[in-house]
Amino acid sequence: MNLSEFLRDYPGIGATSIAIVSGALGWSIRNLVQFFIDKSKYNKELKTFFWKEKVNSAKKASEFYLEHMNYLNLLRHQFEIFEKGEIEHQELYENIQKEVEFYSNKLKAFPHFEHHHINIFYDFDEKRAMEINKRTFDIQRELIDLQPKQGDSLEVIDSKVIEIKKRATELKDNYEEHFKIYKKYLKEVRKDLEDYL
């Protein structure tokens, strides 16, 4: 018995079979199409989420870097004034202490430390920045040791002031290089964000 004879002899069963096969085929095609639509939608949502996170971390890192760059610029400015002889070493210490205290508190109270999330998206070479930080810390310790003391002779004070000026120049250069490093980070982030737009 072939299909046409079966359908002629059993029209109810044949119609039901055709309806079931057509329904199952339609259901399968519909689910397959829906699967690809959902997958495409999921990928778009994932890319959107990723993009929002990247922009958000870039924004937070930019805010932090700009604040830190302001701090470095103020310090560098103080050392430039000192190099020009417009202020004495004692006034330099006082000015730097005020600025360090102000910006240290400001950076510590920075509303979010999520600026480190930028490292998820970018692989910045932090080696040189860390070297600069270490040398800066060492120089600052040396400057404290070089502060003239009450019993120092004029000769000792003069030699200490010369050493202070050398360290001040080195610190200024360190701050300037650190500033350039942060500026490079910002430039890289901005360029990447522009490429997405």
Side-chain angles (χ1 to χ4, degrees), residues 99-146:
E99 288 175 12
V100 166
E101 189 175 316
F102 173 75
Y103 264 97
S104 291
N105 290 334
K106 192 172 185 179
L107 291 172
K108 281 180 199 171
F110 199 69
H112 33 53
F113 280 100
E114 294 95 18
H115 63 275
H116 294 294
H117 290 164
I118 197 72
N119 295 319
I120 295 170
F121 303 103
Y122 298 93
D123 188 20
F124 294 134
D125 183 10
E126 297 278 342
K127 184 179 177 190
R128 181 63 187 144
M130 295 307 277
E131 288 171 0
I132 293 170
N133 281 340
K134 184 186 178 321
R135 181 60 190 142
T136 298
F137 180 73
D138 292 344
I139 293 170
Q140 288 169 347
R141 267 198 335 239
E142 292 168 13
L143 283 172
I144 290 169
D145 293 340
L146 286 170

Side-chain angles (χ1 to χ4, degrees), residues 82 87-94 146-148 157 161 164:
F82 178 66
I87 59 174
E88 292 295 318
H89 65 276
Q90 199 56 41
E91 193 177 347
L92 173 69
Y93 284 127
E94 291 168 8
L146 286 170
Q147 276 188 326
I157 290 174
V161 169
I164 287 170

Side-chain angles (χ1 to χ4, degrees), residues 32-55:
L32 188 61
V33 168
Q34 190 63 43
F35 171 78
F36 286 113
I37 289 171
D38 289 346
K39 186 175 179 182
S40 172
K41 194 176 183 181
Y42 172 77
N43 286 339
K44 284 180 184 177
E45 287 173 0
L46 189 61
K47 284 180 182 177
T48 301
F49 175 76
F50 180 80
W51 170 245
K52 285 180 182 178
E53 282 297 311
K54 190 172 187 177
V55 168

Side-chain angles (χ1 to χ4, degrees), residues 78-85 87-89 92 165 168:
Q78 288 299 318
F79 286 110
E80 285 173 359
I81 292 172
F82 178 66
E83 281 179 339
K84 291 177 184 174
I87 59 174
E88 292 295 318
H89 65 276
L92 173 69
K165 286 186 176 183

Side-chain angles (χ1 to χ4, degrees), residues 148-161:
K149 297 185 178 39
Q150 197 161 6
D152 288 346
S153 67
L154 284 177
E155 193 176 282
V156 171
I157 290 174
D158 285 343
S159 71
K160 283 184 174 183
V161 169

